């Protein structure tokens, strides 16, 4: 009985034109089922590795777009803050553009000023750019203004610290608008006063 059953099974398994019962081949439908999973796993693994390497060794372009978190502004009265401000002042005085302007042939037609340098204390405490925003990490230096004596042209050097950012690493747009407003107002005011004096002298 068992021998006859075995022959039937073997004959059915190897008989041409019949379906094979004993096989080690994985059906194609099973391969298609697992293929998306393997693909997704490979993509996730590659992405995780790229993110890890990018976090450890960030490219310069990504550093600009996504800067690392920086500490807040230091205490203005601390020795570190004073040394930092002095270092910034030295850097300002040796800027290539400023040195180039001081060596030009028409250098005598220009003058330099430092707004808010001698600002009265009673007015400074109620001033935004002259007082509240002053200090290391903010407006650490007094602006350096280089203007023509006829007040028709001005170049203003301003250091803006990281404590005045909107998004980390990007200076707040409202602050930039404020600085632009003040610098243009100064130029227009001085030019208008000079024009008034010239008109007055011409009338004499």
């Amino acid at each position: 009985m068992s021998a006859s059953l075995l022959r039937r099974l073997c004959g059915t398994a190897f008989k041409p034109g019949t379906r094979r019962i004993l096989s080690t081949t994985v059906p194609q439908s099973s391969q298609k089922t697992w293929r998306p999973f393997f693909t997704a796993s490979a993509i996730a693994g590659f992405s995780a590795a790229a993110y890890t390497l990018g976090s450890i060794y960030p490219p310069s372009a990504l550093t600009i777009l996504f800067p690392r978190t920086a500490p807040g502004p230091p205490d203005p009265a601390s020795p570190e803050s004073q040394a930092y401000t002095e270092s910034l002042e030295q850097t300002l005085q040796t800027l290539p553009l400023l040195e180039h302007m001081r060596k030009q042939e028409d250098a005598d037609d220009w003058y330099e000023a430092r707004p808010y340098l001698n600002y009265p204390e009673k007015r400074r405490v109620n001033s935004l750019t002259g007082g509240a925003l002053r200090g290391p990490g903010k407006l650490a230096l007094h602006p350096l203004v280089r203007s023509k004596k006829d007040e028709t042209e001005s170049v203003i050097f301003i250091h803006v610290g990281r404590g005045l950012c909107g998004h980390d690493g990007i200076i707040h747009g409202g602050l930039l608008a404020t600085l632009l407003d003040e610098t243009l107002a100064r130029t227009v005011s001085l030019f208008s006063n000079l024009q008034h004096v010239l008109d007055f002298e011409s009338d004499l």
Side-chain angles (χ1 to χ4, degrees):
M1 182 67 180
S2 59
S4 176
L5 179 60
L6 181 61
R7 278 197 302 270
R8 289 181 181 180
L9 291 175
C10 292
T12 303
F14 297 101
K15 184 178 179 180
T18 60
R19 183 178 178 182
R20 296 184 62 185
I21 298 177
L22 303 176
S23 176
T24 58
T25 304
V26 179
Q28 293 184 358
S29 59
S30 178
Q31 292 179 349
K32 293 181 179 180
T33 301
W34 287 97
R35 184 175 299 172
F37 173 76
F38 291 137
T39 302
S41 298
I43 294 175
F46 176 79
S47 301
Y51 178 81
T52 302
L53 291 176
S55 300
I56 299 175
Y57 307 104
S60 56
L62 292 179
T63 303
I64 296 175
L65 295 176
F66 306 101
R68 297 181 176 179
T69 304
D75 181 9
S78 66
E80 293 79 6
S81 297
Q82 297 176 2
Y84 172 72
T85 303
E86 292 176 1
S87 175
L88 286 178
E89 181 66 29
Q90 293 177 359
T91 302
L92 171 65
Q93 297 296 334
T94 57
L95 287 176
L97 176 59
L98 182 58
E99 291 184 335
H100 174 72
M101 295 184 65
R102 287 172 173 172
K103 295 178 181 178
Q104 285 184 323
E105 294 181 358
D106 64 342
D108 293 338
D109 296 335
W110 296 68
Y111 71 92
E112 292 184 4
R114 302 299 295 269
Y116 300 116
L117 183 61
N118 299 315
Y119 209 48
E121 180 65 19
K122 62 181 181 180
R123 296 182 60 187
R124 186 193 65 80
V125 294
N126 295 318
S127 172
L128 177 64
T129 55
L133 296 181
R134 289 286 156 192
K138 297 180 286 186
L139 299 178
L141 301 178
H142 297 287
L144 191 153
V145 179
R146 188 169 176 81
S147 301
K148 277 191 172 182
K149 294 180 180 179
D150 59 2
E151 302 299 347
T152 58
E153 185 176 352
S154 296
V155 180
I156 303 178
F157 298 85
I158 301 176
H159 170 79
V160 182
R162 194 161 184 167
L164 299 177
C165 293
H167 298 285
D168 194 15
I170 302 177
I171 299 301
H172 194 284
L175 175 68
L176 295 179
T178 300
L179 296 177
L180 182 62
D181 174 72
E182 289 203 0
T183 54
L184 291 178
R186 177 189 182 280
T187 302
V188 172
S189 176
L190 292 177
F191 180 75
S192 299
N193 290 337
L194 178 62
Q195 191 64 39
H196 176 74
V197 171
L198 294 177
D199 292 341
F200 178 76
E201 290 179 348
S202 63
D203 292 340
L204 294 177

